[in-house]
Amino acid sequence: MEQKTILLDCDKQQLKDYLTTKYDVKPFVANQVFDWLYKGADFEDMSNISKPLRTLLAQDNVAKSASIIKTLTSDIDGTQKMLYRLHDGNVIEGVLMKYKYGNTLCVSTQVGCRMGCKFCASTLDGLVRNLSAGEIMGQVVAVNVLGQGKRYVDNIVLMGSGEPLDNYDNVVKFLKMVSSDQTLNISQRNISLSTCGLVPQMLQLAEEGLSVNLTISLHNARQQGREEIMPIAKKYSVSEVMSAARNYFQKTGRRVIIEYTLIDGNNDSYSDALALANAVRNMSVHINLIRLNPVKERKLRATSDTNANKFLAYLHKLNVSATLRRQMGVDIDGACGQLRRNYLEQG
Ligand code: SAH
């Protein structure tokens, strides 16, 4: 079977070139198709496009690159978890978190992940494949249409499954497209890219002229301790990651955020807090603490509420800007990545 073309991979000009060349359509028709794509329409819904053309387009192209197949909504805080199906049958998940200042959508950048972090469910089966730029966009489009004409996705975090910088070109292409006024016009300042610390790509990203926020999944500021929970730490040391983070701030002026998942007895002692404070000294950073979401396939346990607050107090005493993130959607959220796994296991 011939590979289908994901139309959301194209920007407006590329789509125009592609459709006018391949199907001999008028440029204004290409623009109509482009508008439909961002309304989350499938070909059959494109009512101002002729039926024969719709049929033709559907044969070798994909309009909805990510289709929502299941939504769970939290009774507590309105958080929504989505399962999406991709055109090849792969399934990914996403989360929409509702805050006072707007809705934040967490998107996936890969099916699976090859980074092997010991606490994470997304990496249990390794990397299945990269998502294309249009498949990352498809997640935003699919959720945005739930706003019924009003913008529903205000902020984006690249914190779903996958390591964004391990899929560098597609992710950068997505960042440029989604922030363009021809598409969803989401400001780059409202987008955060989270990485486990791929140093060369962090340095490269600093040169792209983007103003997206960078989040570093540090989780342990001590080299040996970090290696125990994050295999990537053997390749890039804590100090290399932190200096790449400093460089990102210097080049872009965007403050760096450090993610720190608290794991019982692993990274939550006073000396861990001290190491963390030392690692971020003289940096413009904020630390986001989150208690581990236990993953049933893994043995690690979450730090207790009391100890998490103690850890936070240590950091404050050491003059480090930090907050303990409240967990959202706890009633629908087995753990990060668990919705997809449950779905796959049940077949
Ligand atoms: N690969 C990227 C983005 C995906 S994970 C990265 O490493 O940053 C998004 C965030 O969730 C990361 O900080 C990750 O370490 C964290 N995370 C993964 N599994 C978790 C779990 N079970 N509990 C709490 N946080 C988790």
Side-chain angles (χ1 to χ4, degrees), residues 7-8 10 12 15 19 27-51 53-54 57 62-66 137-138 140-142 144-145 182-184:
L7 295 186
L8 280 170
C10 303
K12 201 166 187 174
L15 188 76
L19 295 181
F28 83 90
V29 176
N31 287 342
Q32 287 172 331
V33 172
F34 189 81
D35 290 344
W36 280 117
L37 293 176
Y38 281 90
K39 288 185 184 138
D42 215 336
F43 296 109
E44 66 215 28
D45 311 320
M46 300 185 180
S47 52
N48 57 359
I49 308 292
S50 78
K51 212 147 185 214
L53 178 60
R54 279 189 257 162
L57 289 176
V62 174
K64 288 172 80 154
S65 58
M137 182 70 92
V140 187
V141 169
N144 209 37
V145 298
Q182 296 197 322
T183 65
L184 299 178

Short mmCIF file of all heavy atoms in Angstrom, two decimals, residues 7-8 10 12 15 19 27-51 53-54 57 62-66 137-138 140-142 144-145 182-184:
data_model
loop_
_atom_site.label_atom_id
_atom_site.label_comp_id
_atom_site.label_asym_id
_atom_site.label_seq_id
_atom_site.Cartn_x
_atom_site.Cartn_y
_atom_site.Cartn_z
N LEU A 7 -1.83 15.70 5.29
CA LEU A 7 -1.91 17.07 4.77
C LEU A 7 -1.49 18.11 5.81
O LEU A 7 -0.99 19.18 5.46
CB LEU A 7 -3.32 17.36 4.25
CG LEU A 7 -3.76 16.53 3.04
CD1 LEU A 7 -5.12 17.00 2.54
CD2 LEU A 7 -2.73 16.56 1.91
N LEU A 8 -1.67 17.78 7.11
CA LEU A 8 -1.26 18.74 8.13
C LEU A 8 0.26 18.89 8.24
O LEU A 8 0.76 19.75 8.95
CB LEU A 8 -1.84 18.37 9.50
CG LEU A 8 -3.31 18.76 9.75
CD1 LEU A 8 -3.82 18.13 11.03
CD2 LEU A 8 -3.48 20.28 9.83
N CYS A 10 1.85 19.89 5.78
CA CYS A 10 2.14 20.99 4.84
C CYS A 10 1.79 22.34 5.45
O CYS A 10 0.76 22.46 6.12
CB CYS A 10 1.28 20.87 3.58
SG CYS A 10 1.43 19.33 2.70
N LYS A 12 0.72 26.36 4.42
CA LYS A 12 -0.29 26.78 3.45
C LYS A 12 0.24 26.75 2.01
O LYS A 12 -0.43 26.27 1.10
CB LYS A 12 -0.77 28.19 3.81
CG LYS A 12 -2.11 28.53 3.23
CD LYS A 12 -2.69 29.77 3.89
CE LYS A 12 -4.10 29.99 3.41
NZ LYS A 12 -4.78 31.06 4.09
N LEU A 15 0.80 23.18 0.76
CA LEU A 15 -0.47 22.51 0.43
C LEU A 15 -0.98 23.00 -0.92
O LEU A 15 -1.46 22.22 -1.75
CB LEU A 15 -1.52 22.75 1.52
CG LEU A 15 -2.77 21.91 1.32
CD1 LEU A 15 -2.54 20.46 1.73
CD2 LEU A 15 -3.96 22.47 2.09
N LEU A 19 -1.56 20.46 -3.95
CA LEU A 19 -2.90 20.19 -4.50
C LEU A 19 -3.06 20.72 -5.92
O LEU A 19 -3.72 20.08 -6.75
CB LEU A 19 -3.99 20.77 -3.59
CG LEU A 19 -4.11 20.17 -2.18
CD1 LEU A 19 -5.25 20.82 -1.41
CD2 LEU A 19 -4.31 18.66 -2.22
N PRO A 27 -6.10 27.46 -6.79
CA PRO A 27 -5.50 27.84 -5.50
C PRO A 27 -6.54 28.10 -4.41
O PRO A 27 -6.33 27.74 -3.26
CB PRO A 27 -4.73 29.12 -5.84
CG PRO A 27 -4.42 29.01 -7.29
CD PRO A 27 -5.54 28.24 -7.91
N PHE A 28 -7.68 28.71 -4.77
CA PHE A 28 -8.65 29.01 -3.70
C PHE A 28 -9.25 27.73 -3.11
O PHE A 28 -9.61 27.68 -1.94
CB PHE A 28 -9.74 29.99 -4.19
CG PHE A 28 -10.89 29.36 -4.94
CD1 PHE A 28 -12.02 28.91 -4.27
CD2 PHE A 28 -10.82 29.20 -6.32
CE1 PHE A 28 -13.07 28.32 -4.95
CE2 PHE A 28 -11.87 28.61 -7.01
CZ PHE A 28 -12.99 28.17 -6.33
N VAL A 29 -9.30 26.69 -3.93
CA VAL A 29 -9.80 25.40 -3.41
C VAL A 29 -8.79 24.83 -2.41
O VAL A 29 -9.16 24.30 -1.35
CB VAL A 29 -10.07 24.41 -4.56
CG1 VAL A 29 -10.52 23.05 -4.03
CG2 VAL A 29 -11.12 24.97 -5.51
N ALA A 30 -7.51 24.97 -2.75
CA ALA A 30 -6.46 24.51 -1.82
C ALA A 30 -6.59 25.26 -0.49
O ALA A 30 -6.46 24.66 0.58
CB ALA A 30 -5.09 24.74 -2.44
N ASN A 31 -6.87 26.55 -0.57
CA ASN A 31 -7.05 27.32 0.67
C ASN A 31 -8.26 26.85 1.47
O ASN A 31 -8.24 26.84 2.70
CB ASN A 31 -7.20 28.82 0.36
CG ASN A 31 -5.87 29.42 -0.06
OD1 ASN A 31 -4.81 28.83 0.19
ND2 ASN A 31 -5.92 30.57 -0.71
N GLN A 32 -9.31 26.49 0.76
CA GLN A 32 -10.50 25.97 1.46
C GLN A 32 -10.16 24.67 2.19
O GLN A 32 -10.55 24.47 3.33
CB GLN A 32 -11.64 25.73 0.46
CG GLN A 32 -12.27 27.02 -0.03
CD GLN A 32 -13.27 26.80 -1.16
OE1 GLN A 32 -13.14 25.84 -1.93
NE2 GLN A 32 -14.26 27.66 -1.26
N VAL A 33 -9.40 23.81 1.50
CA VAL A 33 -9.00 22.55 2.14
C VAL A 33 -8.17 22.86 3.39
O VAL A 33 -8.37 22.28 4.46
CB VAL A 33 -8.21 21.64 1.17
CG1 VAL A 33 -7.64 20.42 1.89
CG2 VAL A 33 -9.10 21.20 0.00
N PHE A 34 -7.24 23.79 3.24
CA PHE A 34 -6.38 24.18 4.36
C PHE A 34 -7.24 24.62 5.57
O PHE A 34 -7.00 24.18 6.70
CB PHE A 34 -5.45 25.32 3.93
CG PHE A 34 -4.38 25.67 4.92
CD1 PHE A 34 -3.22 24.91 4.99
CD2 PHE A 34 -4.53 26.76 5.79
CE1 PHE A 34 -2.21 25.22 5.91
CE2 PHE A 34 -3.53 27.07 6.71
CZ PHE A 34 -2.38 26.30 6.77
N ASP A 35 -8.24 25.45 5.32
CA ASP A 35 -9.11 25.91 6.42
C ASP A 35 -9.83 24.74 7.08
O ASP A 35 -9.96 24.68 8.29
CB ASP A 35 -10.14 26.92 5.90
CG ASP A 35 -9.48 28.24 5.52
OD1 ASP A 35 -8.32 28.46 5.94
OD2 ASP A 35 -10.10 29.03 4.79
N TRP A 36 -10.30 23.81 6.26
CA TRP A 36 -11.01 22.64 6.81
C TRP A 36 -10.10 21.81 7.71
O TRP A 36 -10.52 21.30 8.74
CB TRP A 36 -11.55 21.75 5.68
CG TRP A 36 -12.82 22.25 5.06
CD1 TRP A 36 -13.00 22.64 3.76
CD2 TRP A 36 -14.10 22.38 5.69
NE1 TRP A 36 -14.29 23.02 3.55
CE2 TRP A 36 -15.00 22.87 4.72
CE3 TRP A 36 -14.58 22.14 6.98
CZ2 TRP A 36 -16.34 23.12 4.99
CZ3 TRP A 36 -15.92 22.39 7.26
CH2 TRP A 36 -16.78 22.87 6.27
N LEU A 37 -8.85 21.67 7.28
CA LEU A 37 -7.92 20.84 8.06
C LEU A 37 -7.81 21.37 9.49
O LEU A 37 -7.77 20.60 10.45
CB LEU A 37 -6.51 20.84 7.42
CG LEU A 37 -6.38 20.16 6.07
CD1 LEU A 37 -4.96 20.34 5.53
CD2 LEU A 37 -6.72 18.67 6.18
N TYR A 38 -7.76 22.70 9.62
CA TYR A 38 -7.61 23.28 10.96
C TYR A 38 -8.93 23.35 11.71
O TYR A 38 -8.97 23.73 12.88
CB TYR A 38 -6.91 24.65 10.86
CG TYR A 38 -5.43 24.41 10.69
CD1 TYR A 38 -4.87 24.29 9.43
CD2 TYR A 38 -4.63 24.20 11.80
CE1 TYR A 38 -3.52 23.98 9.28
CE2 TYR A 38 -3.29 23.89 11.66
CZ TYR A 38 -2.74 23.78 10.40
OH TYR A 38 -1.42 23.46 10.27
N LYS A 39 -10.02 23.00 11.02
CA LYS A 39 -11.31 22.83 11.73
C LYS A 39 -11.49 21.38 12.16
O LYS A 39 -12.55 20.98 12.64
CB LYS A 39 -12.47 23.25 10.83
CG LYS A 39 -12.53 24.76 10.64
CD LYS A 39 -13.77 25.14 9.85
CE LYS A 39 -13.77 26.64 9.59
NZ LYS A 39 -14.21 26.93 8.22
N GLY A 40 -10.47 20.57 11.92
CA GLY A 40 -10.54 19.17 12.34
C GLY A 40 -11.45 18.34 11.47
O GLY A 40 -11.93 17.28 11.89
N ALA A 41 -11.70 18.80 10.24
CA ALA A 41 -12.65 18.10 9.36
C ALA A 41 -11.98 16.92 8.66
O ALA A 41 -10.79 16.94 8.39
CB ALA A 41 -13.17 19.07 8.31
N ASP A 42 -12.80 15.91 8.39
CA ASP A 42 -12.33 14.85 7.49
C ASP A 42 -12.82 15.21 6.08
O ASP A 42 -13.64 16.12 5.92
CB ASP A 42 -12.87 13.49 7.95
CG ASP A 42 -11.81 12.41 7.68
OD1 ASP A 42 -10.96 12.62 6.79
OD2 ASP A 42 -11.85 11.36 8.35
N PHE A 43 -12.34 14.49 5.07
CA PHE A 43 -12.68 14.89 3.70
C PHE A 43 -14.18 14.95 3.47
O PHE A 43 -14.68 15.85 2.82
CB PHE A 43 -11.99 13.95 2.69
CG PHE A 43 -10.50 14.05 2.74
CD1 PHE A 43 -9.74 13.02 3.27
CD2 PHE A 43 -9.85 15.20 2.30
CE1 PHE A 43 -8.35 13.12 3.33
CE2 PHE A 43 -8.46 15.31 2.37
CZ PHE A 43 -7.71 14.27 2.89
N GLU A 44 -14.90 13.96 4.04
CA GLU A 44 -16.35 13.91 3.78
C GLU A 44 -17.09 15.12 4.35
O GLU A 44 -18.19 15.44 3.92
CB GLU A 44 -16.93 12.61 4.36
CG GLU A 44 -16.86 12.56 5.88
CD GLU A 44 -16.60 11.16 6.41
OE1 GLU A 44 -15.98 10.37 5.68
OE2 GLU A 44 -17.01 10.90 7.55
N ASP A 45 -16.47 15.81 5.32
CA ASP A 45 -17.12 16.99 5.91
C ASP A 45 -16.85 18.28 5.14
O ASP A 45 -17.38 19.33 5.45
CB ASP A 45 -16.63 17.23 7.35
CG ASP A 45 -16.66 15.98 8.20
OD1 ASP A 45 -17.64 15.24 8.06
OD2 ASP A 45 -15.71 15.76 8.99
N MET A 46 -15.95 18.21 4.15
CA MET A 46 -15.52 19.45 3.47
C MET A 46 -16.58 19.86 2.46
O MET A 46 -16.45 19.68 1.25
CB MET A 46 -14.15 19.22 2.81
CG MET A 46 -13.08 18.86 3.83
SD MET A 46 -11.44 18.73 3.08
CE MET A 46 -10.46 18.31 4.53
N SER A 47 -17.66 20.48 2.97
CA SER A 47 -18.88 20.63 2.19
C SER A 47 -18.75 21.55 0.97
O SER A 47 -19.54 21.44 0.04
CB SER A 47 -20.01 21.09 3.10
OG SER A 47 -19.59 22.22 3.82
N ASN A 48 -17.79 22.47 0.98
CA ASN A 48 -17.67 23.31 -0.21
C ASN A 48 -16.66 22.76 -1.23
O ASN A 48 -16.29 23.44 -2.18
CB ASN A 48 -17.34 24.77 0.17
CG ASN A 48 -16.05 24.86 1.00
OD1 ASN A 48 -15.42 23.84 1.30
ND2 ASN A 48 -15.67 26.07 1.37
N ILE A 49 -16.20 21.55 -1.00
CA ILE A 49 -15.30 20.90 -1.95
C ILE A 49 -16.11 19.86 -2.73
O ILE A 49 -16.92 19.14 -2.14
CB ILE A 49 -14.14 20.18 -1.18
CG1 ILE A 49 -13.45 21.13 -0.19
CG2 ILE A 49 -13.15 19.53 -2.14
CD1 ILE A 49 -12.67 22.26 -0.79
N SER A 50 -15.88 19.79 -4.02
CA SER A 50 -16.71 18.88 -4.84
C SER A 50 -16.53 17.43 -4.39
O SER A 50 -15.45 17.04 -3.95
CB SER A 50 -16.36 19.02 -6.32
OG SER A 50 -15.15 18.31 -6.58
N LYS A 51 -17.58 16.66 -4.55
CA LYS A 51 -17.56 15.28 -4.08
C LYS A 51 -16.48 14.43 -4.76
O LYS A 51 -15.74 13.72 -4.08
CB LYS A 51 -18.94 14.64 -4.26
CG LYS A 51 -19.20 13.64 -3.18
CD LYS A 51 -20.62 13.54 -2.77
CE LYS A 51 -20.64 12.58 -1.59
NZ LYS A 51 -21.83 11.77 -1.55
N LEU A 53 -13.66 15.35 -5.95
CA LEU A 53 -12.34 15.74 -5.43
C LEU A 53 -12.15 15.20 -4.02
O LEU A 53 -11.09 14.69 -3.67
CB LEU A 53 -12.18 17.27 -5.45
CG LEU A 53 -10.84 17.78 -4.89
CD1 LEU A 53 -9.64 17.24 -5.66
CD2 LEU A 53 -10.79 19.32 -4.88
N ARG A 54 -13.21 15.27 -3.20
CA ARG A 54 -13.11 14.74 -1.83
C ARG A 54 -12.75 13.26 -1.86
O ARG A 54 -11.90 12.80 -1.11
CB ARG A 54 -14.46 14.89 -1.12
CG ARG A 54 -14.68 16.29 -0.56
CD ARG A 54 -15.91 16.27 0.30
NE ARG A 54 -17.05 16.88 -0.38
CZ ARG A 54 -18.31 16.70 -0.01
NH1 ARG A 54 -18.61 15.93 1.00
NH2 ARG A 54 -19.29 17.30 -0.67
N LEU A 57 -9.13 12.90 -2.94
CA LEU A 57 -8.21 13.30 -1.87
C LEU A 57 -8.13 12.22 -0.79
O LEU A 57 -7.05 11.92 -0.26
CB LEU A 57 -8.65 14.62 -1.23
CG LEU A 57 -8.49 15.89 -2.07
CD1 LEU A 57 -9.07 17.10 -1.32
CD2 LEU A 57 -7.04 16.14 -2.43
N VAL A 62 -4.33 12.00 4.24
CA VAL A 62 -4.94 11.95 5.58
C VAL A 62 -5.29 13.38 5.96
O VAL A 62 -4.42 14.27 5.88
CB VAL A 62 -3.94 11.37 6.61
CG1 VAL A 62 -4.50 11.46 8.02
CG2 VAL A 62 -3.59 9.93 6.25
N ALA A 63 -6.54 13.62 6.37
CA ALA A 63 -6.93 14.96 6.82
C ALA A 63 -6.82 15.06 8.33
O ALA A 63 -6.16 15.94 8.87
CB ALA A 63 -8.36 15.27 6.38
N LYS A 64 -7.48 14.12 9.03
CA LYS A 64 -7.40 14.11 10.50
C LYS A 64 -6.23 13.21 10.89
O LYS A 64 -6.37 11.99 10.87
CB LYS A 64 -8.70 13.55 11.09
CG LYS A 64 -9.88 14.49 10.96
CD LYS A 64 -11.16 13.82 11.39
CE LYS A 64 -11.31 13.79 12.89
NZ LYS A 64 -12.74 13.73 13.30
N SER A 65 -5.13 13.83 11.26
CA SER A 65 -3.94 13.01 11.52
C SER A 65 -3.98 12.36 12.90
O SER A 65 -3.25 11.43 13.17
CB SER A 65 -2.67 13.83 11.34
OG SER A 65 -2.69 14.93 12.20
N ALA A 66 -4.83 12.89 13.80
CA ALA A 66 -5.03 12.26 15.12
C ALA A 66 -6.51 12.37 15.45
O ALA A 66 -7.03 13.48 15.54
CB ALA A 66 -4.19 12.96 16.19
N MET A 137 0.58 18.27 15.32
CA MET A 137 -0.43 19.30 15.07
C MET A 137 -1.84 18.72 15.17
O MET A 137 -2.75 19.37 15.70
CB MET A 137 -0.21 19.89 13.67
CG MET A 137 -1.14 20.99 13.31
SD MET A 137 -0.79 22.48 14.26
CE MET A 137 0.33 23.28 13.15
N GLY A 138 -2.03 17.52 14.67
CA GLY A 138 -3.35 16.88 14.65
C GLY A 138 -3.94 16.77 16.05
O GLY A 138 -5.16 16.86 16.23
N VAL A 140 -3.42 18.88 18.51
CA VAL A 140 -3.86 20.23 18.92
C VAL A 140 -5.17 20.57 18.19
O VAL A 140 -6.12 21.08 18.79
CB VAL A 140 -2.78 21.30 18.60
CG1 VAL A 140 -3.20 22.64 19.18
CG2 VAL A 140 -1.42 20.88 19.12
N VAL A 141 -5.21 20.25 16.90
CA VAL A 141 -6.41 20.55 16.12
C VAL A 141 -7.62 19.80 16.69
O VAL A 141 -8.68 20.38 16.91
CB VAL A 141 -6.19 20.18 14.63
CG1 VAL A 141 -7.50 20.24 13.85
CG2 VAL A 141 -5.15 21.10 14.00
N ALA A 142 -7.43 18.51 16.96
CA ALA A 142 -8.55 17.68 17.44
C ALA A 142 -9.12 18.22 18.75
O ALA A 142 -10.33 18.22 18.95
CB ALA A 142 -8.10 16.23 17.61
N ASN A 144 -8.64 21.39 19.90
CA ASN A 144 -9.08 22.77 19.70
C ASN A 144 -10.53 22.85 19.21
O ASN A 144 -11.26 23.75 19.60
CB ASN A 144 -8.15 23.47 18.72
CG ASN A 144 -8.05 24.95 18.97
OD1 ASN A 144 -8.05 25.39 20.13
ND2 ASN A 144 -8.00 25.72 17.92
N VAL A 145 -10.94 21.89 18.40
CA VAL A 145 -12.31 21.95 17.88
C VAL A 145 -13.34 21.68 18.97
O VAL A 145 -14.51 22.02 18.81
CB VAL A 145 -12.55 21.01 16.66
CG1 VAL A 145 -11.67 21.39 15.50
CG2 VAL A 145 -12.36 19.55 17.03
N GLN A 182 -0.95 31.69 10.16
CA GLN A 182 -1.75 31.00 9.15
C GLN A 182 -2.45 29.76 9.72
O GLN A 182 -3.33 29.20 9.10
CB GLN A 182 -0.85 30.56 7.99
CG GLN A 182 -0.24 31.77 7.29
CD GLN A 182 0.31 31.40 5.94
OE1 GLN A 182 0.87 30.33 5.78
NE2 GLN A 182 0.14 32.28 4.97
N THR A 183 -1.99 29.35 10.90
CA THR A 183 -2.62 28.14 11.46
C THR A 183 -3.32 28.50 12.77
O THR A 183 -4.31 29.20 12.77
CB THR A 183 -1.59 27.01 11.68
OG1 THR A 183 -0.65 27.41 12.68
CG2 THR A 183 -0.84 26.68 10.40
N LEU A 184 -2.77 28.05 13.91
CA LEU A 184 -3.47 28.27 15.18
C LEU A 184 -2.92 29.47 15.94
O LEU A 184 -3.51 29.90 16.93
CB LEU A 184 -3.39 27.00 16.05
CG LEU A 184 -4.04 25.77 15.43
CD1 LEU A 184 -3.86 24.55 16.32
CD2 LEU A 184 -5.52 26.00 15.15
#
